[in-house]
Amino acid sequence: MKIFSWFKAKKGYLSERDINKNLKAKFIGKHIVILDIIDSTNMLAKREAEKGALNGSVFIAENQTAGRGRLGRTWSSNEKDCILMSILLHLDNKEEINTSVYTLAFGLAVSNAIDSITKKNTKLKWPNDILINNKKLCGILCERFSRNNKNYMVIGIGINVNNEKFEDDLSNKATSLFIEYKNIFKREKIIAEVLNKIEEVYIDADKGKLSDIILKYKEKCISLGKNVELTKNNQKIYGMIEDISNEGELITSIYPNGKIKINSFDGVEQYIY
Ligand code: BTN
């Protein structure tokens, strides 16, 4: 279609200069690497941590050959349509931090960043899938790791921005900003806003404002009150999602009268209905 080829022509490669125009964050994004293609920006962030990459370094790629999702899934992407990026955080002196709750906080920050660009409301599915109209717009893979006796966290973010369509099996589950709002979005603006909001929430979390963050998270979370099927090591448990604790755990009541708490690193698959 003619209109789509005009839109395509408008899609360019990412520019660091354009990201910096809207970047207010102080340490996140001070060092930005943009590559055409890489295996996975999360894996790159880990390799670069080993070589001494700065706290808050950001690794972005136009495409990935081995994009990774949660629970060992793959993450596929289209060149120049998506945001594929990873933020490296040094966790020195933060051995005690509860990375599960930070995972939720980062999901909230990305959701708020997207809302501030689109002036619409995204929703969150525990732990940090971002949805529009019940379809997945963004996935986040937070990983903790150690290199040379130092602890790190990488926040890997995949946002479907200007994708025009998804293949059959994904079309019922995935969406993009373009599909929802029929508008081409400038990815650099979204990247800058995501970095601004992640730094904001990280500083707030450091100041001990985690329960405020969880409260705001719950306002956007569609998982609460839903029936759920949880799977771990091929074992299934059925229950109802009751609450999210201040530690970021999903509190699920189990039929007939039990209760379990799972955190985002427990490797539990959940299907809500
Ligand atoms: C999920 O929902 O399963 C998480 C998806 C995370 C995808 C992003 S894309 C950038 C970064 N690099 C990766 O390999 N994965 C994350």
Side-chain angles (χ1 to χ4, degrees):
M1 267 195 319
K2 231 181 184 167
I3 190 154
F4 282 135
S5 42
W6 176 78
F7 277 149
K8 269 209 174 111
K10 282 194 67 179
K11 291 181 187 175
Y13 280 104
L14 286 165
S15 129
E16 185 175 345
R17 219 178 96 225
D18 286 354
I19 296 174
N20 283 326
K21 278 184 197 159
N22 294 292
L23 190 66
K24 296 189 204 105
K26 297 281 182 299
F27 79 95
I28 292 186
K30 230 185 156 84
H31 175 62
I32 297 180
V33 175
I34 304 178
L35 299 168
D36 285 351
I37 191 148
I38 192 77
D39 46 0
S40 144
T41 55
N42 270 30
M43 296 202 291
L44 175 66
K46 290 180 186 177
R47 293 194 293 266
E48 292 300 308
E50 199 162 351
K51 294 189 213 153
L54 295 175
N55 189 21
S57 295
V58 175
F59 303 93
I60 308 175
E62 290 289 359
N63 214 346
Q64 300 183 127
T65 53
R68 300 166 56 226
R70 291 186 68 244
L71 306 167
R73 299 192 183 109
T74 54
W75 184 262
S76 51
S77 50
N78 284 353
E79 191 181 45
K80 295 203 272 183
D81 279 335
C82 310
I83 292 173
L84 307 164
M85 76 172 167
S86 299
I87 302 163
L88 177 71
L89 296 176
H90 291 203
L91 301 182
D92 13 84
N93 311 321
K94 286 200 173 67
E95 282 75 21
E96 296 308 313
I97 77 162
N98 176 342
T99 36
S100 182
V101 70
Y102 275 70
T103 301
L104 270 55
F106 296 139
L108 176 68
V110 178
S111 163
N112 285 339
I114 295 170
D115 293 358
S116 89
I117 300 285
T118 60
K119 313 283 179 252
K120 301 271 203 281
N121 288 317
T122 50
K123 295 281 178 198
L124 288 158
K125 182 178 158 218
W126 188 91
N128 48 17
D129 283 356
I130 298 175
L131 313 179
I132 302 182
N133 291 329
N134 265 324
K135 291 186 179 180
K136 186 155 162 175
L137 175 80
C138 166
I140 302 178
L141 174 65
C142 290
E143 297 181 280
R144 304 173 291 194
F145 64 98
S146 304
R147 292 287 185 276
N148 309 324
N149 290 325
K150 290 189 183 142
N151 297 319
Y152 301 91
M153 183 160 183
V154 57
I155 315 165
I157 304 166
I159 311 177
N160 302 323
V161 181
N162 293 320
N163 313 54
E164 286 154 21
K165 63 178 169 58
F166 290 92
E167 293 317 317
D168 297 343
D169 49 333
L170 271 182
S171 62
N172 293 329
K173 298 186 213 148
T175 194
S176 72
L177 292 177
F178 178 79
I179 292 171
E180 296 298 324
Y181 306 128
K182 305 291 173 279
N183 206 350
I184 290 278
F185 285 83
K186 188 140 175 76
R187 289 178 299 159
E188 288 90 339
K189 260 189 149 173
I190 303 176
I191 292 172
E193 193 58 7
V194 167
L195 301 180
N196 294 339
K197 291 273 194 275
I198 294 233
E199 182 167 301
E200 230 173 83
V201 88
Y202 192 52
I203 291 171
D204 280 351
D206 265 356
K207 286 186 188 153
K209 296 189 184 166
L210 285 172
S211 51
D212 281 1
I213 293 170
I214 291 291
L215 218 59
K216 289 187 187 136
Y217 176 95
K218 287 203 266 190
E219 282 167 17
K220 289 192 137 211
C221 180
I222 56 132
S223 309
L224 293 169
K226 297 266 169 59
N227 290 317
V228 68
E229 176 190 297
L230 301 169
T231 313
K232 188 168 188 184
N233 303 330
N234 290 327
Q235 269 208 310
K236 286 192 194 308
I237 303 173
Y238 297 89
M240 207 260 290
I241 299 173
E242 267 191 2
D243 203 359
I244 289 156
S245 72
N246 278 345
E247 285 69 48
E249 301 147 315
L250 195 70
I251 303 177
T252 304
S253 52
I254 302 299
Y255 308 130
N257 52 14
K259 204 169 269 207
I260 57 161
K261 286 182 179 180
I262 51 171
N263 89 38
S264 63
F265 293 99
D266 280 345
V268 175
E269 223 169 311
Q270 38 135 5
Y271 167 65
I272 58 175
Y273 55 99

